Amino acid sequence: MTVFQWSNQCFNIASILYAIAFVLYAGMMVSSKNIYMKGSTILGRLAWGTHTLALILRWVHAGVGHPPWTNLYESLVFFAWGVMGAHLFLEVRFKFKFTGVFACAVTFAAMGIASLHPNKEIEPLVPALQSWWLLFHVFMACIAYSFFLGSSFISVFYLLKDEIKVETMSAYAALACLIFLCLAVGTGFFTTGELQFYKVVQMQGKDVIMNFKDSAGNQVKEFISMPFTTWVIWPTLVGYLSTAALFFAKKDKWAKKIYLLTIVLHVAVLISILMAPRMNADFSLKSNPYRLASIFMTLGISFFFASLFKLKDKILLRLPDEPTLDRLSYEAILIGVPFMTLNLVSGAVWAYYAWGRYWGWDPKETWAFITWLIYVLYLHVRITSGWRGRKTAIISIIGFFVVIFTYLGVNLVISGLHSYATG
Amino acid sequence: MKSSLSTTWKWLISVRLTIFILLFIILFCILGTIVAQQGMTALPLEKVYSPQKLKWLRMFGLTDVFHSPYFIFLLFALATNLVACSIERLPKIWKHTFHVTPPPTNDPFLKSWTQEEARRGKYLLQRPGHGSFATLAEAKMALQLFFERRFGKTQVLVDAPEHFQVMVEKGKYSRIGVYITHLSLLMIMFGGVLGAIFGFEAGMSIEEGSRQSWLQHMKGSTGGLNLFRENGLPVKGFLNLGFDVECKAFRLETYDGSRPKSFQSDLNFYENDVKVASATIGVNTPFHYKGITFYQASYSDLGVGSADLKVFRTPAGGDHKKATMEVVSAVKPGDLYRIDGNAAFRVLSLETNMMNLGPAAKVQFYKTKQDKKPDEFWVFQNLPGFDFSHRKNESIHFVIDALKPKFATGLSVAKDPGVGVVWLGAACLILALFIALYTHHARYWVSYSKEHGFTIVGWSNKLFLFEPKFKNFYDDLKKELKI
């Protein structure tokens, strides 16, 4: 086997290990049995080690000037590595293992989506990416985003421990899922009723999104018709809306039933999309991995909160006390902020050399700046105004959405609104 | 009057104002990414929005949020807030940190304080008792030795017969980290303002082999340059560099014939027709000349520029196999090329693919100087025998050796006198952030009294960073002094 094949093999093994680690970390939240406690530690590290090895092998194969984070596939795999790495850092340093379940879920999902990617080849770098700043800039972004996500995971546990009702949290979770799903299916879905998964054809071994000209002469992308998925998405969206509404209206019994039903529908949506490449040769998951990632992520969120109804009491017993959780979440942000600053500054330096200006307010830059501002705001309200606990936990969770939007959403939503380049 | 001034000041230095401004900046940033911005979309705004909608968006300045008066006002307000906060707080912190050693609060320190009370006042407290010391002098000696070894310094606060107290202070400078952070942000903003006032962004497109002294002005000021004039009249949107830039050569490398791997331009700079500088620029490797930076931004393919022609001369007798060959390179359409004293040729046109036969050139051939009716015929790259069979009886024949593409290099040209300030600010920002967030200011007190034994107190501006350190300190102290 070549180095490249070894690398891919390692990615596959790491994905499987992450799946097992996920189960063990989930078990560790409700039970102190050795198999969960020790098992999660071992499997988590093993998976991450394999993942690291895979990245190194890929890097070795591609050459030193070509780090393994230069296209969508690599980016997903690399940021997944970062999220798990940040968790392991927290685990080792603060003996806090609860973020593992989220980290493994996010990582496994990202690896899963990446593994569906048809083109895992190492692509030659376009001239603008041939720079050492690429290495530094993306690495800094990865560290910063990973710790911000880690902080938001801890904040969820804080809110749980702070006795915010699971019903209330679920209502907001359902609302978040609704919004993210709406973004995932795209604005076009509501105006045309058509799911915007682009038609992809193979041309000279590359996947190309099909374009055609409409009657007005505009370039239009061609969509694949996915009738089944379309039919399931509508009730899923309605389901989340009614779940949130019923929880807010304190009709908890009904809300829970609708919630479970919605999750089943959501799973059906996901399966129908994952099956699509087998049914339709024109469908490739590359046609819109961002949408797919959103659908995946929202399912994970609602699944987590639904499981809390059963597991809450057990988890509460095993969680550290509130001030500890509060401080941990803060410390994760403290790690993230300087790296986020390095990310912005290195991005500016690179932009200066490649594009002739250090700042140009393009959407990705602007959203990175917004992310930075959110955490700067967090530091100010915490250090200067003395906010603690619930308020800062909520900011940290808002931070989660902002980070995800900066990483995936900018490319997904904003390029959909108008014709910025998808970068 | 005085009270209203102090109210204003209080409002100006409040964190609430900072949060307010930051929230508004976030809001406008979001607007700036969901509304298409002037000059940032591939399509003109007129095509993105309907005229009615565009009119409304323009009216509220939403098509150019980041240069709109209210965004600039917000940044200005933030800067004011930063300056005011620094003026208010820095002297106090300075005094607190560098000039005053807090007096030992003897009473609570020694007797009545509980750990919880201490914690409420951000102090950590331990009372391990007397240890094995028989006299105060012994304890004093051991304690001083321990402090010297651990911190390299001690400060004796109380040296009484019944009571002895030492103190050490660490990481004072951590306290100014946050102010340097803010100062760096001001510096970055100042650099940005310098760039906005005195800088510009422009572009130029130079054909291979030609020179140009004008820029297409895109953003910003004129940067001290004159407007470009044609026939004495200034041309709107164009600037005069005051020197010439020549694109001597342009090189494009591709990965597999399509995707660009790299592109570079060889540039020469002329002042009054004297070459003063030359450079090769590529993506990520710009060149600076006279405070103006030239970036390789793009290129355009202008089609076929020239051809290398093989000219065959058949000796008398007509045996083509004995023909001699010379290559005339870089033949440009329209130019006359002399072959020997008499004959000459000119390429009338070059085609990359003529009637699916591949690269072709239309040649005009003069047999003698006085040739009034020159021959005109096509020659091909892929059909080397064509000219020999087509003009069988002639002694001179042509074959295309290669067609050379012609490019125009696309340069971004920018002047930004603020960029140095921005980099300095950014470097300070990062350094100061690490200091402000990762280091802490700490004080350790240890006192020994005959009555109460040891009392160990710690204080820090960041208790959570300090706690493990204090625990470590306490453990070591207990071990070394055998308490």
Side-chain angles (χ1 to χ4, degrees):
Chain A
M1 277 206 294
T2 63
V3 175
F4 180 66
Q5 283 165 329
W6 274 109
S7 156
N8 283 344
Q9 210 58 44
C10 285
F11 280 127
N12 293 339
I13 296 168
S15 305
I16 297 164
L17 292 175
Y18 278 126
I20 304 169
F22 169 75
V23 175
L24 294 173
Y25 272 112
M28 165 265 140
M29 291 200 305
V30 291
S31 151
S32 61
K33 278 187 192 149
N34 235 345
I35 179 170
Y36 296 127
M37 292 303 285
K38 285 225 173 95
S40 59
T41 306
I42 293 168
L43 257 293
R45 280 166 211 198
L46 206 59
W48 195 68
T50 319
H51 196 164
T52 313
L53 182 67
L55 286 171
I56 292 172
L57 288 176
R58 194 178 171 91
W59 199 344
V60 166
H61 183 71
V64 67
H66 190 151
W69 47 79
T70 59
N71 61 15
L72 177 69
Y73 166 77
E74 291 179 342
S75 166
L76 278 171
V77 169
F78 178 61
F79 278 82
W81 176 83
V83 171
M84 190 63 190
H87 157 71
L88 286 177
F89 181 88
L90 296 175
E91 182 177 317
V92 170
R93 195 180 154 133
F94 302 112
K95 311 271 176 293
F96 183 74
K97 296 178 60 128
F98 282 79
T99 44
V101 68
F102 289 123
C104 283
V106 167
T107 307
F108 180 68
M111 300 277 282
I113 291 165
S115 77
L116 296 166
H117 204 296
N119 190 4
K120 297 189 190 67
E121 295 302 312
I122 292 165
E123 289 173 5
L125 293 181
V126 296
L129 289 183
Q130 294 163 17
S131 164
W132 290 106
W133 289 108
L134 162 74
L135 205 161
F136 189 72
H137 175 62
V138 182
F139 202 89
M140 292 302 112
C142 179
I143 296 176
Y145 292 173
S146 301
F147 278 97
F148 290 154
L149 291 194
S151 163
S152 65
F153 299 157
I154 301 167
S155 294
V156 171
F157 287 115
Y158 176 87
L159 290 183
L160 200 66
K161 189 83 181 177
D162 199 27
E163 309 214 319
I164 293 217
K165 282 170 67 189
V166 179
E167 285 77 9
T168 319
M169 283 164 105
S170 301
Y172 282 107
L175 215 54
C177 287
L178 179 70
I179 293 167
F180 263 70
L181 272 183
C182 287
L183 294 178
V185 295
T187 41
F189 179 71
F190 299 100
T191 50
T192 63
E194 199 159 15
L195 206 55
Q196 297 186 334
F197 278 91
Y198 305 129
K199 197 164 178 173
V200 171
V201 286
Q202 286 261 332
M203 277 168 97
Q204 297 168 338
K206 286 196 300 180
D207 294 288
V208 181
I209 291 173
M210 287 294 283
N211 280 308
F212 70 95
K213 280 197 172 142
D214 68 2
S215 53
N218 297 322
Q219 287 276 328
V220 179
K221 286 178 177 125
E222 204 173 335
F223 301 121
I224 307 154
S225 92
M226 299 169 78
F228 179 73
T229 315
T230 312
W231 279 113
V232 200
I233 277 187
W234 279 113
T236 313
L237 295 177
V238 175
Y240 277 122
L241 186 64
S242 20
T243 306
L246 286 170
F247 272 129
F248 282 129
K250 307 253 184 276
K251 304 258 183 276
D252 292 347
K253 218 172 133 196
W254 276 101
K256 280 180 198 171
K257 280 179 187 155
I258 301 278
Y259 197 18
L260 291 179
L261 183 68
T262 311
I263 290 175
V264 172
L265 288 168
H266 197 153
V267 172
V269 169
L270 192 66
I271 290 176
S272 76
I273 293 174
L274 292 182
M275 292 295 285
R278 290 167 203 277
M279 322 283 272
N280 191 335
D282 290 337
F283 184 86
S284 148
L285 292 160
K286 193 175 187 173
S287 75
N288 223 319
Y290 299 119
R291 296 187 198 287
L292 196 59
S294 306
I295 291 169
F296 222 106
M297 201 181 72
T298 42
L299 181 62
I301 292 174
S302 41
F303 196 79
F304 175 77
F305 285 100
S307 68
L308 280 186
F309 287 111
K310 281 248 176 286
L311 303 174
K312 185 191 170 189
D313 295 333
K314 283 186 184 165
I315 296 175
L316 281 185
L317 274 178
R318 310 224 340 102
L319 275 176
D321 62 351
E322 288 156 67
T324 309
L325 288 169
D326 185 45
R327 209 198 64 218
L328 279 178
S329 158
Y330 173 46
E331 290 210 31
I333 287 175
L334 277 184
I335 297 169
V337 167
F339 287 100
M340 189 66 201
T341 314
L342 278 170
N343 172 31
L344 287 181
V345 169
S346 60
V349 175
W350 188 10
Y352 175 73
Y353 282 110
W355 299 331
R357 85 285 186 294
Y358 55 84
W359 197 262
W361 298 110
D362 99 357
K364 196 86 174 173
E365 280 174 359
T366 308
W367 273 95
F369 180 58
I370 292 170
T371 311
W372 186 78
L373 284 180
I374 295 273
Y375 289 99
V376 163
L377 206 73
Y378 180 99
L379 291 184
H380 281 89
V381 295
R382 187 165 181 120
I383 298 172
T384 321
S385 302
W387 288 18
R388 288 286 183 283
R390 212 175 268 195
K391 285 181 187 167
T392 43
I394 288 167
I395 300 179
S396 164
I397 290 171
I398 291 172
F400 169 84
F401 292 105
V402 175
V403 166
I404 293 289
F405 191 81
T406 306
Y407 175 56
L408 284 176
V410 172
N411 306 52
L412 162 71
V413 181
I414 293 184
S415 62
L417 280 178
H418 45 82
S419 41
Y420 286 136
T422 47
Chain B
M1 189 63 209
K2 202 181 169 188
S3 79
S4 84
L5 205 68
S6 77
T7 322
T8 315
W9 181 251
K10 265 188 192 147
W11 176 74
L12 209 58
I13 58 166
S14 64
V15 187
R16 195 176 290 177
L17 179 68
T18 318
I19 293 166
F20 221 66
I21 295 170
L22 288 181
L23 281 176
F24 267 98
I25 291 179
I26 292 173
L27 177 74
F28 282 115
C29 282
I30 293 173
L31 279 176
T33 60
I34 55 178
V35 178
Q37 297 292 294
Q38 189 80 50
M40 286 181 60
T41 46
L43 293 169
L45 288 185
E46 283 75 10
K47 281 204 168 176
V48 181
Y49 297 115
S50 65
Q52 193 64 30
K53 213 167 161 187
L54 191 60
K55 201 180 117 195
W56 279 103
L57 289 172
R58 285 228 164 102
M59 207 163 99
F60 290 104
L62 291 177
T63 53
D64 198 9
V65 170
F66 303 109
H67 305 96
S68 63
Y70 41 71
F71 197 75
I72 291 164
F73 170 76
L74 277 173
L75 292 180
F76 179 75
L78 185 67
T80 314
N81 179 242
L82 275 176
V83 172
C85 285
S86 297
I87 290 176
E88 172 72 16
R89 284 173 203 153
L90 187 55
K92 283 182 193 161
I93 292 280
W94 194 272
K95 209 173 144 199
H96 180 67
T97 311
F98 295 101
H99 295 296
V100 182
T101 304
T105 40
N106 271 323
D107 177 44
F109 217 87
L110 291 178
K111 289 177 229 156
S112 54
W113 247 16
T114 62
Q115 280 197 342
E116 285 68 40
E117 276 171 331
R119 200 166 233 297
R120 239 172 277 145
K122 282 197 164 188
Y123 287 89
L124 300 173
L125 180 87
Q126 292 290 347
R127 292 182 192 283
H130 279 87
S132 55
F133 296 103
T135 63
L136 190 123
E138 263 176 61
K140 181 175 151 186
M141 189 115 109
L143 203 56
Q144 261 176 324
L145 213 66
F146 175 75
F147 264 61
E148 282 293 340
R149 245 204 322 268
R150 191 177 180 92
F151 301 111
K153 58 182 175 186
T154 42
Q155 192 182 347
V156 179
L157 295 182
V158 183
D159 197 355
E162 297 294 298
H163 177 206
F164 176 74
Q165 191 177 76
V166 284
M167 180 239 195
V168 140
E169 187 159 29
K170 299 289 284 178
K172 277 181 184 179
Y173 294 94
S174 156
R175 302 297 286 274
I176 53 173
V178 63
Y179 298 98
I180 304 176
T181 308
H182 289 159
L183 198 72
S184 327
L185 285 172
L186 286 172
M187 238 152 99
I188 292 173
M189 284 180 182
F190 178 66
V193 171
L194 278 185
I197 295 176
F198 300 111
F200 62 77
E201 279 177 40
M204 67 198 304
S205 172
I206 316 173
E207 279 182 28
E208 256 181 298
S210 61
R211 286 191 200 180
Q212 194 172 307
S213 66
W214 47 268
L215 299 171
Q216 193 172 5
H217 192 206
M218 284 171 330
K219 258 185 205 167
S221 69
T222 58
L225 298 180
N226 294 320
L227 293 177
F228 179 70
R229 286 168 181 275
E230 205 164 32
N231 306 323
L233 293 169
V235 188
K236 198 171 171 256
F238 290 87
L239 297 175
N240 191 351
L241 270 174
F243 52 86
D244 282 350
V245 184
E246 181 192 41
C247 174
K248 194 160 165 283
F250 178 86
R251 284 182 302 281
L252 171 71
E253 271 184 83
T254 55
Y255 280 111
D256 41 18
S258 59
R259 282 177 291 181
K261 181 180 179 186
S262 73
F263 45 104
Q264 292 181 317
S265 310
D266 293 336
L267 301 181
N268 288 327
F269 295 81
Y270 294 89
E271 301 250 20
N272 304 319
D273 283 336
V274 182
K275 189 162 130 185
V276 285
S278 59
T280 300
I281 64 163
V283 181
N284 282 317
T285 48
F287 179 70
H288 309 272
Y289 181 70
K290 279 189 150 180
I292 295 172
T293 314
F294 295 83
Y295 302 88
Q296 181 74 67
S298 59
Y299 62 88
S300 41
D301 192 341
L302 301 177
V304 190
S306 63
D308 293 348
L309 288 187
K310 287 181 191 163
V311 182
F312 291 88
R313 207 184 306 267
T314 310
D319 186 357
H320 295 321
K321 281 177 188 154
K322 289 182 183 163
T324 56
M325 190 267 281
E326 68 168 315
V327 177
V328 184
S329 26
V331 178
K332 284 183 185 148
D335 293 356
L336 191 69
Y337 292 81
R338 226 158 258 298
I339 304 176
D340 51 33
N342 269 330
F345 75 93
R346 164 186 282 143
V347 167
L348 294 177
S349 68
L350 291 167
E351 300 284 338
T352 45
N353 192 1
M354 158 105 166
M355 297 169 76
N356 278 330
L357 293 171
K362 193 174 193 185
V363 178
Q364 193 178 42
F365 181 57
Y366 295 79
K367 279 174 208 151
T368 60
K369 271 182 187 170
Q370 290 78 27
D371 200 343
K372 287 275 176 335
K373 261 188 75 186
D375 281 351
E376 287 182 13
F377 50 88
W378 288 91
V379 297
F380 299 89
Q381 182 171 11
N382 300 344
L383 305 168
F386 179 79
D387 199 36
F388 290 96
S389 54
H390 176 225
R391 299 184 306 121
K392 214 176 267 174
N393 302 323
E394 301 293 334
S395 62
I396 290 179
H397 294 102
F398 299 87
V399 174
I400 297 177
D401 191 27
L403 290 191
K404 294 275 175 67
K406 181 167 186 166
F407 290 100
T409 183
L411 305 180
S412 273
V413 183
K415 182 176 179 176
D416 193 342
V419 81
V421 183
V422 172
W423 294 154
L424 188 65
C428 291
L429 174 68
I430 288 162
L431 199 73
L433 260 180
F434 276 94
I435 293 173
L437 299 181
Y438 294 165
T439 64
H440 61 281
H441 178 203
R443 288 174 180 143
Y444 300 86
W445 293 268
V446 179
S447 81
Y448 181 83
S449 76
K450 278 189 171 161
E451 196 182 338
H452 298 98
F454 283 100
T455 308
I456 298 140
V457 176
W459 169 91
S460 169
N461 64 333
K462 291 192 195 93
L463 216 53
F464 69 93
L465 284 179
F466 179 58
E467 240 181 308
K469 293 219 163 175
F470 181 75
K471 190 177 174 297
N472 188 272
F473 166 80
Y474 177 57
D475 290 345
D476 286 357
L477 184 85
K478 272 207 301 192
K479 213 164 95 191
E480 290 221 7
L481 271 61
K482 300 190 182 67
I483 304 169

